[in-house]
């Protein structure tokens, strides 16, 4: 069995029920964290519609939040979800400005991890951060059936 994540008549992703269920639970979690709707509609009859306008705002906020953290646990917990949303956004035709997203954040870093003895937050270089996340998204995109 599988479920469909559609943009109009186009299927962007057709995961198994288990992957879909876990993904949708993560969607709810990150909608609450970001206080922003994702644009990923409810699953009805194994189909869910995606609102590209809301998804664009959500993915940009998600990436900005991801960029502002240097906490290894938060990054580990959120990386797979974030990469999956990037794949959906790209399949929906949403252009992501990786240069802007990888730049030093306008807002201060949050949920940072302090290195032992260093006394300062650890956060990835913007270019390395963007390259790593894009690589993870490409890897997942090749495994995400349409």
């Amino acid at each position: 069995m599988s479920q469909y994540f559609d943009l109009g008549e186009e299927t962007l992703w057709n995961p198994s029920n288990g992957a879909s269920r876990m993904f949708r639970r993560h969607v709810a979690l990150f909608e609450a964290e970001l206080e922003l709707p994702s644009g990923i509609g409810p699953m009805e009859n194994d189909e869910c519609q995606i609102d590209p306008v809301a998804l664009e705002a959500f993915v940009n906020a998600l990436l900005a939040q991801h960029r502002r953290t240097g906490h290894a646990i938060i990054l580990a917990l959120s990386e797979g979800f974030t990469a999956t949303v990037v794949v959906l956004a790209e399949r929906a035709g949403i252009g992501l400005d990786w240069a802007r997203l990888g730049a030093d954040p306008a807002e201060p870093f949050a949920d940072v991890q302090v290195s032992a003895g260093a006394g300062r937050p650890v956060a990835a270089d913007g270019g390395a951060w963007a390259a790593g996340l894009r690589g993870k998204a490409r890897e997942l995109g090749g495994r995400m059936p349409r």
Side-chain angles (χ1 to χ4, degrees):
M1 298 290 295
S2 62
Q3 298 186 323
Y4 297 85
F5 289 79
D6 298 332
L7 178 62
E9 297 296 316
E10 180 185 0
T11 298
L12 303 180
W13 186 29
N14 178 228
S16 68
N17 288 350
S20 173
R21 185 174 50 252
M22 185 177 288
F23 175 74
R24 288 181 289 110
R25 287 182 176 152
H26 278 81
V27 166
L29 170 78
F30 281 92
E31 285 176 330
E33 284 291 314
L34 296 171
E35 298 179 348
L36 193 65
S38 65
I40 298 169
M43 189 61 66
E44 296 173 350
N45 299 318
D46 292 330
E47 295 179 356
C48 144
Q49 282 294 320
I50 295 177
D51 173 354
V53 173
L55 180 61
E56 182 173 12
F58 181 78
V59 71
N60 280 302
L62 180 65
L63 289 168
Q65 178 196 47
H66 195 270
R67 174 70 181 113
R68 283 192 319 270
T69 187
H71 197 287
I73 301 302
I74 292 173
L75 290 170
L77 290 170
S78 64
E79 184 180 69
F81 174 76
T82 303
T84 303
V85 172
V86 165
V87 173
L88 284 176
E90 289 176 341
R91 288 182 180 179
I94 296 168
L96 300 171
D97 185 349
W98 287 101
R100 180 185 57 80
L101 290 164
D104 285 340
E107 297 179 37
F109 283 96
D111 290 318
V112 294
Q113 185 170 323
V114 178
S115 295
R120 51 176 264 203
V122 176
D125 165 80
W129 169 85
L133 194 54
R134 290 177 83 181
K136 182 71 170 178
R138 277 192 303 278
E139 176 188 329
L140 284 176
R143 298 176 185 201
M144 288 174 58
R146 288 184 185 244

